[in-house]
Amino acid sequence: MKFKLLYFGELRTNPKKRAQHITDIRMQFHPQLKKLVEYSPWNNLGKYMMPNPTKSPVTTKHIGGVDFNPIITPNLKLIAELDIQLMHPEIVGVARADIDNRVKTLLDALRCPQNEHEIGENQPKNIGPIYTLLDDDHLVTRLSVNTSHFLAPDMFDHKDCNVPNNTEEERLFLMVDVNVRVGEGTLENLPFMV
């Protein structure tokens, strides 16, 4: 089972307000994942994505007044392989292109917050559950990162992009190819064994 997630904007290595930066990134992935669970086989999980379901392979997490619905969870016995295409305006090979810390920021944004300190102060609280890819990043079993020079900087001139005009070095386009695999077969994850 494969799908792609896209991100346009900043992916900072050590932001001053780390929790808010990660929340902003997470909120760009949320509508994509919310749309994903409308389609088969993900739509079968909808009945489990609610607070306190009676039988659930998916655990809705209530953290800091917000419900989070991870779609890859240990209870569902799903694991993820991620292929990341990171395109940035820096010339490839320049020392400023801090890949390892950017990937750490990205992985934190793809998973559920683990406590209320990992939620930004501007996190929307009344829009329903926030969808995340992962319950926790230990569910990633393979990770590859490919970086390249971004040749279309005009994409970031759009007023809705969450990047201030003076931080061109932080701007990037990110594509995450997600390959969902079944770690152990169960009745709940049977539809994902395709």
Side-chain angles (χ1 to χ4, degrees), residues 26-153:
R26 187 179 291 129
M27 291 308 295
Q28 274 203 41
F29 290 127
H30 159 69
Q32 297 172 65
L33 293 165
K34 184 176 180 181
K35 188 70 173 171
L36 176 72
V37 299
E38 293 176 8
Y39 299 100
S40 181
W42 300 102
N43 59 352
N44 295 325
L45 301 177
K47 60 187 170 204
Y48 301 120
M49 291 180 166
M50 63 188 80
N52 305 315
T54 54
K55 177 186 174 195
S56 177
V58 177
T59 305
T60 297
K61 294 187 170 188
H62 188 74
I63 302 167
V66 182
D67 287 332
F68 292 91
N69 282 343
I71 64 170
I72 298 176
T73 68
N75 292 351
L76 199 52
K77 311 270 192 235
L78 295 178
I79 54 178
E81 299 174 343
L82 305 178
D83 292 314
I84 301 166
Q85 176 70 41
L86 191 148
M87 291 176 274
H88 51 83
E90 297 136 349
I91 301 300
V92 175
V94 171
R96 283 179 15 32
D98 188 358
I99 296 169
D100 56 339
N101 285 317
R102 284 184 174 181
V103 170
K104 180 180 179 351
T105 299
L106 173 64
L107 288 175
D108 287 347
L110 289 172
R111 68 170 172 80
C112 274
Q114 303 301 303
N115 57 57
E116 62 186 39
H117 301 294
E118 293 185 2
I119 298 174
E121 58 190 42
N122 295 326
Q123 169 71 62
K125 296 192 178 194
N126 52 2
I127 63 169
I130 305 299
Y131 288 86
T132 64
L133 177 66
L134 305 163
D135 180 69
D136 191 60
D137 57 12
H138 76 275
L139 297 171
V140 176
T141 59
R142 189 178 66 77
L143 179 68
S144 70
V145 181
N146 183 22
T147 64
S148 60
H149 190 67
F150 190 71
L151 299 175

